[in-house]
Amino acid sequence: MNAPGKLAALTLTALLTVTACGGGDAAPAAKGPQPLRMSIWTSNEAHLKLFKEIAAEYRKSHPQVGEITFDPIPFENYTTTLTTQIAGGNPPDLAWILENSAPDFVGSGALVPLKSKIEKADELVPAATRLWERDGELYAYPFSTSPFGVFINTDLVKAAGQKTPRELIKAGQWDWEHANEINKAVAAKGKNGLTILNFDYKAWDNLATIWQGWGAKAWSDDGGTCQFNAPEMVEAMTFVHKAIFTDKSMPGPGTAVDFFSGDTTMAVAQISRAAMLKDATFKWDLVPLPAGPKGKYAVMGQAGIGVLKKSPRAEQATDFLAYFANAANSAKLAAYFPPARSSLLNADTMAKTSPMLNSDQLQEVVIDGIEKGVVKPSHTGQAELAQTARAALDPLWKPDADVKAVLDGVCAKIQPLLGG
C-alpha cells in the first residue's frame, strides 16, 4: 500500500470519530441565505440536471437557503478526497457514501440521524436500509440500490451452439455450471466468455457476485472472523480459478475486454450499464445471477446520502435531504438510481424509468434483487482491508496457484484488521 493510501485507510475511522465528537464549528450565526454543498461522484449531465431541478424547487419554498451545489468527485478517489475535505475543515453539508465505507461513517457517529425526517420511511425495503442503520436509527438514505445482473450477448451464445440463459431459466437450469459451459464453448471459438465489470483482478469484492452462490463470505456476520479460507469460499474460488486457467471461460489477468463492443459473452454488472447498449450491434439480454450450489441469490451495490454532523448547516441540510428523498423525488431519481421504496418497486413504475429493460428483466433482476439481495462486503477500516486483501490475493491469479494456501494467507493478513 502506498503511503497516501495507507494514511487514508488508517485515519478514516479515527477521523470520523473525532468529527462526530466535535460537532459543528462554533461560529457566529451567518446572515442571509446559506448555501449547501453535496459531494457526489457522478458528473453525468442528466443526473446533474435532475439534481439541480430538485434543488431549485426546494429553494422556492425555502428562501433561507442559498445556492445548492453538487460537487462531483472522481469515483476512484472519492472517499480519500472526501476524507481530506473533512480533515481540512471543509466538509460538505451532505455526501454520497459508498457501501464499502458505510460502516466507518455509520459506526463513528459522524452522521445526523434521519429516520424521523424521511417521508414514509416505513416503506423502505429492509434489505436496502440494513447497512445504514444502527440501534434502530437510520443514518443515510439509500438512494441508489443497484442489483447485479448478467448481461448476455445472445448472438455469441447461439453462434456457439448453446442454449441461451433465458432458455435455461425456463428449464430451471440457470446456474454457474451451465453458465460456465456456455462461456467455455464461446471461448473455444475465439471470443471471450465471462467478465466481471470493474473487477480487473483488483476489486476483489466484486467477486461476491459469484461466491455468494456458494454461501461464502469474506468475514463473519459480526465482522470479527475472516472466512476467506472457509470451505464455501475455497470451493467458490476454486471454481473461479478453474474457469480462468483451465476452462478459459473467463479472460485472464491483463486481458482487456469490452462486453459492449460485442466481443464478450457475459458481463456481470449493475443495471445502469444497460444505457451503454442503446446502440448495440448485437442482440442482448439481462438475466439474474446464476444459481450456485446454495441456490438462488442476489448481490447489490449501494450508495447512501448522509448529512455530516460537522456541517455548520446540518439542520438545513437534513431538511433538504428529506425533500430530495421524498416519495415524489424518489420516483424521479428512479430513472437513474434504483429506489429502495417498496411503492416504487413494481414493473409498471420501473418500466417508465428503465425503458430499455422489459418486465421480466425488471422483475427478476431489479425488483427481486433489491428485495432479496445482500450488499457487497463492507467493514470498518475497509480501505486498509481492501488493500491488504488485494495484495494477499495476487498469488491466486496464477495457473499453478494453491487456492486453499492463498486463502489461508489472506486470513493471516486481514484477521488482525478485523479486530479478532
Side-chain angles (χ1 to χ4, degrees):
M1 187 186 306
N2 59 41
K6 188 174 183 64
L7 177 63
L10 290 173
T11 59
L12 179 57
T13 303
L15 171 63
L16 290 172
T17 301
V18 171
T19 297
C21 295
D25 292 331
K31 297 180 180 180
Q34 295 301 297
L36 294 175
R37 177 167 62 94
M38 182 192 294
S39 292
I40 60 177
W41 68 81
T42 180
S43 56
N44 181 286
E45 291 184 5
H47 298 171
L48 292 172
K49 181 175 182 290
L50 176 57
F51 297 163
K52 291 175 181 177
E53 288 173 353
I54 293 174
E57 282 298 314
Y58 177 78
R59 291 183 63 199
K60 287 180 181 179
S61 57
H62 295 78
Q64 74 276 28
V65 178
E67 184 179 6
I68 301 175
T69 57
F70 300 92
D71 183 16
I73 299 173
F75 179 84
E76 294 77 12
N77 303 310
Y78 183 82
T79 300
T80 300
T81 303
L82 179 58
T83 301
T84 302
Q85 291 180 356
I86 296 171
N90 182 36
D93 302 291
L94 309 95
W96 289 12
I97 301 168
L98 299 168
E99 77 273 312
N100 57 17
S101 58
D104 285 318
F105 278 89
V106 174
S108 68
L111 302 175
V112 173
L114 301 173
K115 194 168 187 178
S116 65
K117 307 293 184 180
I118 299 298
E119 179 181 283
K120 299 180 181 178
D122 59 343
E123 74 173 19
L124 297 177
V125 177
T129 60
R130 191 169 295 122
L131 188 62
W132 311 99
E133 293 176 322
R134 188 180 65 169
D135 300 329
E137 181 55 83
L138 182 69
Y139 288 95
Y141 179 78
F143 81 101
S144 180
T145 301
S146 187
F148 287 86
V150 186
F151 287 93
I152 308 294
N153 183 325
T154 53
D155 286 350
L156 289 182
V157 175
K158 291 178 179 179
Q162 300 293 303
K163 291 182 178 179
T164 66
R166 185 65 55 186
E167 292 171 323
L168 293 173
I169 289 173
K170 292 178 180 178
Q173 296 179 325
W174 178 233
D175 53 36
W176 278 112
E177 181 180 351
H178 284 85
N180 192 55
E181 289 303 315
I182 293 173
N183 290 314
K184 279 175 60 177
V186 173
K189 288 185 170 291
K191 292 288 186 178
N192 295 299
L194 172 74
T195 184
I196 301 175
L197 266 64
N198 299 326
F199 165 47
D200 195 28
Y201 294 89
K202 298 173 184 175
W204 55 265
D205 56 338
N206 283 322
L207 289 177
T209 56
I210 295 180
W211 78 49
Q212 195 69 34
W214 276 255
K217 300 176 181 179
W219 37 74
S220 57
D221 290 339
D222 65 6
T225 305
C226 177
Q227 293 193 343
F228 266 96
N229 58 355
E232 296 85 356
M233 184 67 85
V234 174
E235 290 178 15
M237 289 298 211
T238 298
F239 169 84
V240 172
H241 190 272
K242 181 174 180 290
I244 298 166
F245 296 106
T246 303
D247 299 335
K248 310 295 184 182
S249 54
M250 289 180 65
T255 305
V257 298
D258 178 19
F259 174 82
F260 304 97
S261 68
D263 67 354
T264 308
T265 317
M266 300 182 189
V268 173
Q270 290 167 294
I271 63 165
S272 58
R273 299 288 183 152
M276 298 178 69
L277 291 164
K278 182 179 179 181
D279 299 316
T281 57
F282 56 89
K283 293 182 180 178
W284 61 274
D285 196 359
L286 173 66
V287 298
L289 296 170
K294 293 293 177 68
K296 295 181 180 180
Y297 66 102
V299 176
M300 303 180 291
Q302 202 173 46
I305 303 175
V307 175
L308 290 167
K309 282 185 179 178
K310 194 70 172 176
S311 164
R313 296 170 290 273
E315 184 176 351
Q316 194 61 65
T318 301
D319 190 72
F320 173 63
L321 176 53
Y323 179 82
F324 191 85
N326 68 24
N329 285 326
S330 290
K332 296 176 184 177
L333 292 165
Y336 308 105
F337 307 101
R341 291 183 177 275
S342 57
S343 61
L344 298 175
L345 286 177
N346 58 74
D348 289 340
T349 299
M350 295 300 295
K352 295 174 184 177
T353 60
S354 303
M356 292 191 66
L357 303 179
N358 62 40
S359 58
D360 286 342
Q361 294 166 339
L362 290 167
Q363 182 66 50
E364 296 167 350
V365 179
V366 184
I367 298 173
D368 291 349
I370 291 175
E371 291 179 341
K372 302 173 184 178
V374 298
V375 181
K376 291 195 305 176
S378 61
H379 197 285
T380 53
Q382 178 82 4
E384 186 177 10
L385 267 172
Q387 294 275 16
T388 304
R390 172 185 166 180
L393 281 167
D394 279 347
L396 186 61
W397 313 128
K398 299 177 181 178
D400 59 350
D402 182 329
V403 175
K404 177 63 164 60
V406 171
L407 297 180
D408 282 339
V410 174
C411 279
K413 292 290 187 180
I414 72 168
Q415 185 58 51
L417 304 177
L418 298 177

